[in-house]
Amino acid sequence: MSEETIKSELQMPKGDELVLSSSPHVRTKESVPAIMGKVMLALVPAVVAGILFFGMDAVRVIVYCIVFCVGAEALWCKLAKKPVWGTIRDCSAALTGLLLALNLSAGVPFYVCLIGAFLAIWLGKQVYGGLGHNPFNPALVARVGLLIALPAAMTTWVPTGKMGVTNAEYAKGFYNQNEWQQLEAGAEPDALTCATPLGIVKTTPKVLGNTPEAQNNYAAVDNPTMLREYFLGNRGGCLGETSGLALLIGAVMLICWRLINWRVPLCYVGTVALFTGIVHYFMPGVTPTPLFHVLTGGLLLGAIFMATDMVTSPMTCAGCVVFAIGCGIITSVIRIWGNYPEGVSFSILFMNALVPLIDRWCVKRPFGYIRKRG
Amino acid sequence: MDEMEFKVATFKGGVHPSGDGKNLSSGAAVQTAPLQSEYRVIIPQNIGAPPKVIVTPGQLVKKGEKIAEPGGFVSVPLHAPTSGKVEALEDVPGPMGVSVPAVRISADGEDAWGELPPPMDWKTAAPDELKKRIADSGIVGMGGAAFPTHVKLSPPPDKKIDYLILNGAECEPYLTADHRLMLEDPESVLAGAAICGRILGVKNIYIGVEVNKTDAIQALLAKAGAYGVQIVGLKVRYPQGAEKQLIYAITRRKVPAGGLPMDAGCVVQNVGTAAACAAAVLRGEPLIERITTVTGEAIRHPGNWRFRLGTPVRTAIELAGGVTCEPGKAILGGPMMGFAQKSFDVTIMKNTSGILLLPPEMVRQYESTGCIRCGRCLSACAMNLNPGALATAIESEKFDIAANNHLMDCIECGSCAYICPAHRPLVQHFRRGKAEIRKRAKKN
């Protein structure tokens, strides 16, 4: 090839499309919608478990919540004259909807989902200025709001499809006794309801001291057979919280994708286990075993997906540990001595309120500064 | 030495940019760019006072002849890149977007050296003589800062220097100029290190190299013993080559906030700078050329070239085979801290470590959204700051809050902006905030 041909083939830039901007000139491929999407992917096992155990009821609640949340977001943006699509696109409303659904009983009527969606998106998020500005976890704001406003609807739990009306273990305690008698008599009650393990614990009279009677106080709900069922998800409760197995798979996904700080679920669950463990050791008639506490209620859902919400949790590792331990203590106290059977939502919301303070206390020392003594 | 026998040193924080682009040019041996017919040597090339031009249009100069005198202590002279005629003193496009004065020299094709100072034996020469030679040779920090080297080698007597560290980290993505230099000419780097060590009277001389350059580490290790230099492997992590982070990685010493490396008993030099010191001392050659990486996905044949100062970027692109597509961005330096250019007429300077052309698809203009408090910037910040909160303070013009939260300690490495999923222009905020804080401090 002669020099001439090389010259003619040489393509030189014109330089009329050069963009001028500040460094850095390369960016990570990660984006807010991608983060939200990945969290939703990590929730897929819990969704599948919810559908397996609660059937089409679960599908209905999930679809309602997501549609209503996205709708509430769109409506707010329309009214506030914000770009609607730009806000929907970040997928945070859809994620809030999914989390809200997973925090509801599969048996809730559609209007609970509708009110919940508006509570979550409007009161939980948009009044503060939208994504990133909300101090409280929107899905939990909705859940607690609903719990206070519509206590009956929110605490009517449906049995899972796998419990089986002939399962004697469940028959002993979980089903509503009237309904159970109708069932045994061969009649089909209009709707079946069942209690949650924590609900049964709350209604079981406490036995003080460390006597054999105290040790057997919770034997009906706290035994190895039942714990295995709880772990798999075969228990009453919110549709997304029942399966510890599915939630743990989600946790592994989130930690591998570096979307959550592993210290939060570990410290949260660890604190609950330690706290309830100590109380149980000295007073077994006051609260069940730590493993029971870990596997029941919304602890795993809360510790893995709600307390780790980026917007409403502390930014530093030290802050995350303080936050998670606080959540664990409050959850345990409410479960053991409070009026409500479950304390996960309250504890996370309470600690959410402390996040600005925690962030202030737990600042990292900038590089090159010497620790002040005294 | 087959196995790495040293531990891999690092710092806390930072990012690891995916697809760091080094493979585009890391295998390309350094070529010498052919002699051009014309060079435009930019006058203000160094931090500190700009040099004073001492030639007039029409004057004949030899290669290496001084064309500008230092404008003060923190300044260096400039030398003619080739023999020829001074055509004009004119304004040319500068790297920061504004025009800068330059000396235009047309080459006579002879490329004849002028009278060079005699070679020195660094082992016996007086340290002050060595330092003077480095100052006279116009050597500045070639990693990017362009700080006069002889000033760095003149710590005040009350600062005891324990360590001399050569920066061979080359943590910027895409750039491979230092890598090729260490691989192809390790002795120049080591001799330069030894010379700087002798000037400072320092026995602990280290060269830090990221462990993605194992071939360069091997090359240095093979000769290091003779020069009394130790090679330290560094974790591949941006900004491993930032001065304070490099010092911490190698010595575990922390440069106090607001302080200089000498406050931690350290002096840091780039490996390219060291090689230039060696050329000045051993051969008497002033700094008139440097190795620059011409690379990027838009460049047809990325590689590394030895360019004379004053070579236009356009020529460099031509040597690299032109482009494969119309570039969306042209950057002097690396993608993390380099400067975007609007013209290919900018010429190569003492600190031009790379010319990077990115295709338009890699130049997405990011629309930034609100902070979701993910905390990624906090873990990425090599200075342990809270970039997100600082940027928020600056956005709402609360500069005193930003200052109280140590904004001035930011090294603008760009790790936080790189990692931010909301694509916030964090570094831009910090530059604005710093400028504002400096302005207010001046007023009071």
Side-chain angles (χ1 to χ4, degrees), chain B residues 117-240:
Chain B
M120 297 167 86
D121 181 1
W122 64 270
K123 283 182 184 145
T124 54
D128 280 349
E129 292 289 313
L130 292 169
K131 187 156 74 185
K132 186 169 180 305
R133 171 66 60 86
I134 287 169
D136 290 342
S137 302
I139 296 172
V140 296
M142 289 162 75
F147 189 80
T149 299
H150 66 277
V151 182
K152 267 193 179 181
L153 294 176
S154 313
D158 60 317
K159 301 282 181 196
K160 192 181 168 297
I161 302 299
D162 306 313
Y163 295 96
L164 168 66
I165 298 168
L166 256 56
N167 187 353
E170 200 164 51
C171 58
E172 271 275 3
Y174 288 93
L175 302 188
T176 56
D178 289 348
H179 178 187
R180 294 308 307 185
L181 170 69
M182 291 185 285
L183 177 63
E184 294 176 32
D185 193 7
E187 290 209 67
S188 280
V189 175
L190 292 163
I195 291 165
C196 294
R198 181 167 166 78
I199 294 171
L200 292 163
V202 169
K203 289 276 172 282
N204 298 312
I205 308 174
Y206 293 93
I207 303 182
V209 187
E210 278 192 354
V211 290
N212 56 359
K213 298 179 260 290
T214 38
D215 48 356
I217 294 177
Q218 302 290 353
L220 288 169
L221 276 175
K223 305 274 166 65
Y227 293 90
V229 175
Q230 295 169 62
I231 314 299
V232 181
L234 303 170
K235 192 177 164 193
V236 182
R237 190 112 184 120
Y238 179 87
Q240 188 65 261

Side-chain angles (χ1 to χ4, degrees), chain A residues 37-248:
Chain A
K38 279 188 194 165
V39 175
M40 281 199 263
L41 268 184
L43 281 167
V44 165
V47 167
V48 169
I51 294 171
L52 275 178
F53 287 112
F54 297 104
M56 289 313 286
D57 277 347
V59 177
R60 188 179 55 94
V61 172
I62 291 170
V63 171
Y64 277 154
C65 285
I66 294 180
V67 169
F68 291 152
C69 276
V70 174
E73 177 114 327
L75 186 61
W76 176 280
C77 293
K78 195 99 187 158
L79 295 176
K81 299 193 173 63
K82 282 188 189 174
V84 174
W85 175 238
T87 316
I88 302 292
R89 201 177 39 189
D90 67 28
C91 295
S92 70
L95 177 59
T96 300
L98 182 55
L99 284 171
L100 173 62
L102 299 184
N103 275 290
L104 294 176
S105 159
V108 294
F110 84 96
Y111 63 86
V112 172
C113 303
L114 185 65
I115 299 170
F118 277 88
L119 282 174
I121 300 295
W122 285 33
L123 191 66
K125 187 171 82 173
Q126 290 294 357
V127 289
Y128 299 104
L131 178 65
H133 302 289
N134 50 302
F136 301 104
N137 187 314
L140 289 182
V141 168
R143 179 182 147 85
V144 168
L146 289 169
L147 198 61
I148 294 165
L150 303 162
M154 286 297 287
T155 50
T156 304
W157 309 102
V158 290
T160 71
K162 309 273 182 235
M163 282 181 180
V165 288
T166 54
N167 186 331
E169 286 290 340
Y170 282 104
K172 267 187 267 177
F174 283 85
Y175 286 121
N176 178 312
Q177 285 305 308
N178 289 334
E179 290 167 5
W180 178 243
Q181 278 158 15
Q182 287 177 42
L183 270 175
E184 277 193 320
E188 281 277 326
D190 294 340
L192 269 177
T193 56
C194 89
T196 64
L198 282 173
I200 291 167
V201 166
K202 185 92 324 182
T203 49
T204 308
K206 288 184 166 56
V207 180
L208 292 175
N210 196 349
T211 59
E213 192 202 346
Q215 276 165 7
N216 284 321
N217 198 23
Y218 304 109
V221 288
D222 185 10
N223 58 60
T225 323
M226 295 309 288
L227 288 177
R228 204 191 62 228
E229 296 286 302
Y230 299 160
F231 177 66
L232 295 174
N234 194 14
R235 62 175 169 93
C238 298
L239 72 91
E241 74 183 16
T242 60
S243 175
L245 178 64
L247 291 165
L248 285 178

Side-chain angles (χ1 to χ4, degrees), chain A residues 7 9-33 35-36 86 89 131-133 257-259 310-316 355-356 359 363-370, chain B residues 244 248 254-257 300 314 317-318 321-324 326-331 335-338 340-342 344 363 365-366 371-374 376 378 382-385 406 409 414 417-419 421-424 427-428 431:
Chain A
K7 268 263 158 72
E9 277 177 11
L10 182 75
Q11 186 193 346
M12 283 300 287
K14 287 191 285 292
D16 47 9
E17 284 166 34
L18 292 183
V19 173
L20 283 181
S21 67
S22 175
S23 64
H25 306 286
V26 286
R27 299 284 189 128
T28 173
K29 288 188 182 71
E30 199 174 51
S31 64
V32 173
I35 289 178
M36 300 291 169
R89 201 177 39 189
L131 178 65
H133 302 289
W257 289 333
R258 293 169 185 257
L259 289 172
M310 291 170 172
V311 177
T312 56
S313 61
M315 290 173 87
T316 60
V355 163
D359 267 344
V363 283
K364 290 208 256 180
R365 192 156 35 97
F367 185 90
Y369 285 83
I370 297 146
Chain B
K244 292 180 178 184
Y248 179 74
K254 289 182 178 176
V255 178
R300 188 170 295 276
R314 186 182 303 281
I317 297 170
E318 231 171 75
V323 291
T324 53
E326 184 60 32
K329 208 175 228 180
I331 297 159
M336 294 299 284
M337 289 187 80
Q341 303 297 315
K342 61 176 179 182
F344 299 119
V363 189
Q365 284 301 291
Y366 291 101
C371 171
I372 57 166
R373 293 172 42 87
C374 66
R376 281 166 174 50
L378 266 106
M383 296 304 289
N384 259 355
L385 307 177
H406 312 290
D409 289 312
Y418 171 84
I419 206 80
H423 309 303
R424 299 176 78 198
V427 179
Q428 256 168 301
R431 292 195 180 121

